[in-house]
Amino acid sequence: MDEIKNNAMDQIKEKISKGTFTGEADILTRATVGDARIYVARTTRLVRKLSLRHQTSHLATAALGRTVTGALLLAATMKNEEGVGIKIAGDGPIEGITGEAQGGTARGYVGNPNVYLPPKNGHLDVGGAVGNGTISVTRYTANAKPFTGTAELVDGEIADDLTKYLFTSEQTPSSVGLGVLVDEKGDVQAAGGWFIQALPNCSEETLEQLDKNVRSTPYISSLIDMGFTPERIIRMLGKDMDVEILDSYPLHFGCRCSRERVEGVLQTLPKKELNKLAEDPKTEVTCPYCNAKYEFSREEMLQMAQKVKK
């Protein structure tokens, strides 16, 4: 099984290096529909890149892709320099999920990238992998301290959990749809999501029409796999309503880690721990978000220890 997975991943990496993957680039489109706003994101390439960096199983890919897409959708409601972080803390075998987004850039990771469970009702059992627990959303604003809200998980499938969080913690009537389609080899065929946000004083008529449209709309991953653009999906969700497309912007994977940042984190450790690490010829630190590895020599670790008072 591992050999088959590795061979498939090697083929995907080769396609990426040669630029032979088909499909449109990732994008997020924003629109107003009546007294509400709709955000739709296509994140296929971004989620594929995450799956390759973290070597995730089919199930972990779906869970991580949904979470990171959700973060991008929430970040679309904020200013460019502001960001959103989502943490899923459950008692299931995936051991937690983290997704972060700032503007159109996103990153994330799961605790157990190799998680496996048998399908449930013909679908990847993301809820079973997550288990019972909480969802926390942190909003990083430009001129204020980060704000974090938490809610109990509904089913661990991510979309309903975000919908409940937005209603209970931020008092925002919303609806979230997320999906990731993975083939037998583990390649991401389609990924994306939509987020409907009621504006202040949104009418009951608008909410009822949107609810009717949502119920008749196919899975977001199926629509993207069939070639539907975010704008076209918005017009489906806004059927029989006045739709005004506001703008669109590209989405991509990106990590803010660097050797300097990692060194800064190491310097927060006690002197005793730094000296202990310096007993080895080298210390290797791996960024959980992108799997980049940073090496520090014994001499560098000792220099850090000397700068620490305690």
Side-chain angles (χ1 to χ4, degrees):
M1 181 64 71
D2 289 340
E3 183 178 353
I4 294 175
K5 177 182 176 182
N6 290 335
N7 288 339
M9 287 298 182
D10 288 341
Q11 293 175 22
I12 295 169
K13 288 178 181 178
E14 183 179 358
K15 287 183 178 180
I16 288 180
S17 66
K18 293 182 178 179
T20 55
F21 266 121
T22 59
E24 299 294 331
D26 292 338
I27 190 173
L28 187 147
T29 300
R30 299 186 282 199
T32 56
V33 180
D35 305 319
R37 283 193 173 177
I38 299 181
Y39 309 82
V40 176
R42 179 176 57 219
T43 57
T44 307
R45 294 190 176 195
L46 191 156
V47 175
R48 181 184 289 130
K49 187 168 289 187
L50 282 169
S51 73
L52 288 170
R53 280 190 173 263
H54 295 291
Q55 293 288 288
T56 46
S57 66
H58 297 52
L59 184 52
T61 296
L64 179 59
R66 292 182 192 181
T67 304
V68 170
T69 300
L72 282 163
L73 290 166
L74 294 190
T77 67
M78 306 178 74
K79 298 177 181 178
N80 289 335
E81 67 271 18
E82 299 177 338
V84 170
I86 297 176
K87 287 187 180 295
I88 311 291
D91 58 8
I94 202 169
E95 299 174 8
I97 316 168
T98 297
E100 291 186 356
Q102 183 178 15
T105 303
R107 62 180 187 169
Y109 64 93
V110 297
N112 177 13
N114 299 311
V115 63
Y116 171 79
L117 290 174
K120 182 178 180 180
N121 300 323
H123 299 281
L124 292 169
D125 189 8
V126 174
V130 171
N132 299 312
T134 60
I135 178 172
S136 297
V137 176
T138 301
R139 292 185 181 271
Y140 301 94
T141 56
N143 300 312
K145 293 183 179 179
F147 167 79
T148 300
T150 302
E152 293 294 320
L153 292 171
V154 177
D155 55 14
E157 296 287 339
I158 316 301
D160 288 342
D161 304 308
L162 271 176
T163 299
K164 178 186 176 183
Y165 163 80
L166 289 165
F167 183 75
T168 59
S169 295
E170 298 188 6
Q171 290 76 54
T172 304
S174 307
S175 183
V176 180
L178 301 166
V180 177
L181 182 62
V182 185
D183 68 13
E184 293 181 357
K185 294 182 179 180
D187 180 32
V188 178
Q189 296 298 294
W194 48 257
F195 169 35
I196 301 175
Q197 180 185 44
L199 296 172
N201 302 317
C202 182
S203 67
E204 285 297 324
E205 291 78 10
T206 294
L207 293 175
E208 289 175 3
Q209 184 63 49
L210 286 170
D211 181 65
K212 177 182 177 181
N213 292 346
V214 166
R215 293 178 184 277
S216 63
T217 300
Y219 289 122
I220 181 71
S221 55
S222 297
L223 292 174
I224 291 174
D225 188 47
M226 289 188 290
F228 280 58
T229 64
E231 179 176 340
R232 187 176 177 187
I233 295 170
I234 286 175
R235 297 192 183 280
M236 290 182 67
L237 293 168
K239 182 181 178 183
D240 298 326
M241 304 175 72
D242 292 330
V243 176
E244 180 184 356
I245 302 299
L246 299 176
D247 60 13
S248 298
Y249 57 85
L251 306 174
H252 62 273
F253 167 83
C255 190
R256 299 184 297 276
C257 74
S258 66
R259 183 177 177 82
E260 291 72 22
R261 284 177 180 263
V262 173
E263 185 173 346
V265 173
L266 287 172
Q267 289 177 344
T268 64
L269 297 175
K271 181 186 287 288
K272 182 178 180 180
E273 290 188 29
L274 289 171
N275 282 323
K276 181 69 175 177
L277 290 171
E279 293 177 3
D280 295 323
K282 65 179 181 180
T283 297
E284 184 177 90
V285 180
T286 302
C287 173
Y289 289 96
C290 67
N291 268 346
K293 300 183 186 300
Y294 298 92
E295 288 188 1
F296 298 88
S297 66
R298 174 183 287 125
E299 291 72 21
E300 288 174 315
M301 297 304 297
L302 289 173
Q303 289 174 6
M304 290 185 215
Q306 290 174 0
K307 297 177 182 180
V308 177
K309 295 182 179 178
K310 294 183 180 181

